[in-house]
């Protein structure tokens, strides 16, 4: 290699301009290999010192040493500058605005059964009823005996009822909301206008149309001069409010121990009759068991399943959707939660 002043100046100028042109630490790393490291022209010039004439060696060594020091200095300065630039960019890119609203807790939604319960409650409260609740773990006397359901009635058999051990406890998971009728009549004097929504239990397998835990809404009216016409008018109003204007009900003779006469209620929806629940005039024996004077008062009662109401109202075909509690299902019913 020819070593002269101009050659060293050229090596230095090349190195400095490459260093200055570096835009990033990555680029600078390449430049280091090419212009600063052990195999760079300036390093090789230094190694070549041994081969030049002894009298020129000192001056040339000084020139190379100075050039090398300049290159190293320029490199160090550039590295500092680019490191600072990288750090400040990272800081601004990765900045977290702690004042931004967090989206970590997605909003829940009210279950459609809750929405329906609220809707029915509002409807009846608007007509002067009160909402009454009772325990789900119920005295068997209130669930059966007081409702005139005899000891040998099929509803009592092990197949339908969840009994609580020991059997002598006299407790069951209520099989319907009708025991709330008795509780209400024991605690209040007529006139009574109540609606009793709540969870009920029967030993069914969960499938597309059954669930062992389901919801009913019970209605009870006890007043002077109450007739079946009042019952029918109430059911028609109820159906129209829940399923849409013009939807009517029909009642078919049936049997319940706690009503006399008793009927099944159907409603007419989308061109067909759909079973909705049971109803009737409160059996005198039931009124008497609750201490109500049957010479003065009569009453009606009705009870419907809320899951069934929901399925028909919204075209839900699988009970699993209702019981599984997936919030994506619930969100479809227009409640963003509270
Ligand atoms: N409790 C009855 C049932 O669960 C429904 C019903 C309520 C019938 C009130 C008549 C009066 O099947």
């Amino acid at each position: 290699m020819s070593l002269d002043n101009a050659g060293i100046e050229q090596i230095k100028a090349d190195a400095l301009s490459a260093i200055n042109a570096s835009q990033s630490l990555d680029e600078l790393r390449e430049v280091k290999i090419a212009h600063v490291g052990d195999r760079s022209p300036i390093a090789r010039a230094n190694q070549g010192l041994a081969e030049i004439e002894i009298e020129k060696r000192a001056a040339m060594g000084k020139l190379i040493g100075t050039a090398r020091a300049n290159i190293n200095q320029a490199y160090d300065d550039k590295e500092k500058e680019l490191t600072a630039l990288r750090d400040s960019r990272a800081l601004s890119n990765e900045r977290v605005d702690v004042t931004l609203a967090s989206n970590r807790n997605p909003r829940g939604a009210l279950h459609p059964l809750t929405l329906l319960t609220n809707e029915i409650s509002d409807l009846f409260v608007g007509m002067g009823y009160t909402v009454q609740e009772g325990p789900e773990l119920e005295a068997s006397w209130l669930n059966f005996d007081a409702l005139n359901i005899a000891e040998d009635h099929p509803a009592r058999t092990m197949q339908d009822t969840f009994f609580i051990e020991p059997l002598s406890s006299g407790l069951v998971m209520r099989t319907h909301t009708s025991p709330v009728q008795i509780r209400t009549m024991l605690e209040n004097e007529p006139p009574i206008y109540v609606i009793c929504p709540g969870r009920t239990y029967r030993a069914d397998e969960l499938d597309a149309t059954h669930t062992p835990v389901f919801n009913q809404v019970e209605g009870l009216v006890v007043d002077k001069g109450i007739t079946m016409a009042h019952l029918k008018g109430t059911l028609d109003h109820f159906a129209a409010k829940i399923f849409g204007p013009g939807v009517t009900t029909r009642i078919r003779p049936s049997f319940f121990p706690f009503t006399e006469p008793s009927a099944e209620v159907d409603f007419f929806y989308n061109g067909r009759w759909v079973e909705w629940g049971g109803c009737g005039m409160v059996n005198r024996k039931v009124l008497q068991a609750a201490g109500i004077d049957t010479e003065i008062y009569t009453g009606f009662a009705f009870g419907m399943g809320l899951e069934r109401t929901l399925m028909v109202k919204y075209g839900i075909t699988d009970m699993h959707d209702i019981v599984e509690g997936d919030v994506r299902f619930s969100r479809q019913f227009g409640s963003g939660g509270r």
Side-chain angles (χ1 to χ4, degrees):
M1 159 185 306
S2 75
L3 275 184
D4 57 22
N5 291 5
I8 299 301
E9 285 303 327
Q10 188 58 50
I11 287 173
K12 179 174 120 181
D14 288 350
L16 293 182
S17 83
I19 289 169
N20 279 329
S22 296
Q23 305 272 12
S24 69
L25 288 169
D26 282 344
E27 274 179 51
L28 189 63
R29 202 168 299 126
E30 299 295 315
V31 170
K32 184 179 187 181
I33 294 165
H35 294 281
V36 187
D38 290 343
R39 316 185 68 147
S40 63
I42 195 70
R44 276 193 258 137
N46 197 45
Q47 289 150 18
L49 271 179
E51 284 155 32
I52 63 173
E53 299 141 54
I54 197 97
E55 56 271 24
K56 289 189 184 165
R57 203 182 285 168
M60 188 51 82
K62 199 173 170 203
L63 188 66
I64 292 175
T66 310
R68 217 176 174 192
N70 289 345
I71 292 170
N72 285 341
Q73 187 63 49
Y75 174 83
D76 289 346
D77 290 349
K78 194 68 179 176
E79 189 182 38
K80 271 196 201 114
E81 179 193 323
L82 290 176
T83 303
L85 191 67
R86 181 201 61 190
D87 290 351
S88 78
R89 279 206 187 120
L91 277 180
S92 70
N93 286 346
E94 293 165 18
R95 190 175 57 206
V96 173
D97 183 352
V98 293
T99 65
L100 275 180
S102 122
N103 202 20
R104 286 276 182 84
N105 294 321
R107 296 182 93 190
L110 293 179
H111 194 278
L113 281 171
T114 307
L115 293 172
L116 182 63
T117 302
N118 292 346
E119 188 182 348
I120 294 172
S121 300
D122 286 351
L123 161 63
F124 279 92
V125 165
M127 297 193 289
Y129 287 57
T130 56
V131 178
Q132 198 78 41
E133 284 180 315
E136 294 166 25
L137 177 59
E138 184 57 287
S140 140
W141 186 79
L142 293 166
N143 194 81
F144 296 124
D145 304 71
L147 287 163
N148 196 36
I149 303 175
E151 197 77 56
D152 58 357
H153 191 278
R156 288 211 186 196
T157 64
M158 285 293 187
Q159 275 182 354
D160 286 318
T161 307
F162 288 114
F163 292 90
I164 301 299
E165 288 193 312
L167 289 184
S168 59
S169 68
L171 294 171
V172 297
M173 298 310 292
R174 68 178 177 192
T175 58
H176 50 178
T177 42
S178 300
V180 189
Q181 288 188 29
I182 306 295
R183 289 178 170 274
T184 305
M185 289 190 284
L186 286 174
E187 285 163 19
N188 301 275
E189 295 298 318
I192 289 170
Y193 291 81
V194 290
I195 196 93
C196 323
R199 236 179 245 131
T200 50
Y201 299 80
R202 285 184 205 177
D204 273 324
E205 291 292 327
L206 176 64
D207 64 23
T209 52
H210 296 87
T211 161
V213 183
F214 57 106
N215 286 262
Q216 284 191 339
V217 62
E218 190 89 7
L220 171 70
V221 167
V222 181
D223 203 347
K224 290 176 186 160
I226 295 296
T227 70
M228 255 183 130
H230 297 118
L231 169 60
K232 181 64 166 63
T234 305
L235 292 171
D236 280 341
H237 183 66
F238 185 8
K241 284 288 179 184
I242 295 301
F243 297 108
V247 174
T248 52
T249 61
R250 75 174 178 193
I251 51 180
R252 286 179 287 121
S254 185
F255 174 78
F256 298 100
F258 36 94
T259 44
E260 180 58 37
S262 301
E264 302 283 339
V265 197
D266 304 335
F267 61 97
F268 196 72
Y269 193 73
N270 280 345
R272 65 191 174 106
W273 288 104
V274 183
E275 277 184 40
W276 199 14
C279 67
M281 300 305 290
V282 183
N283 193 318
R284 288 163 64 90
K285 288 187 189 169
V286 173
L287 292 174
Q288 282 157 8
I292 287 173
D293 188 343
T294 51
E295 294 298 317
I296 306 176
Y297 295 107
T298 51
F300 68 71
F302 56 83
M304 5 287 220
L306 293 187
E307 281 79 2
R308 182 172 193 80
T309 305
L310 209 59
M311 288 176 101
V312 175
K313 182 170 175 171
Y314 293 108
I316 300 164
T317 50
D318 191 345
M319 184 68 80
H320 292 88
D321 289 335
I322 296 180
V323 304
E324 271 166 10
D326 187 328
V327 73
R328 291 169 298 184
F329 172 74
S330 294
R331 283 210 194 98
Q332 300 174 78
F333 298 87
S335 142
R338 292 185 184 161

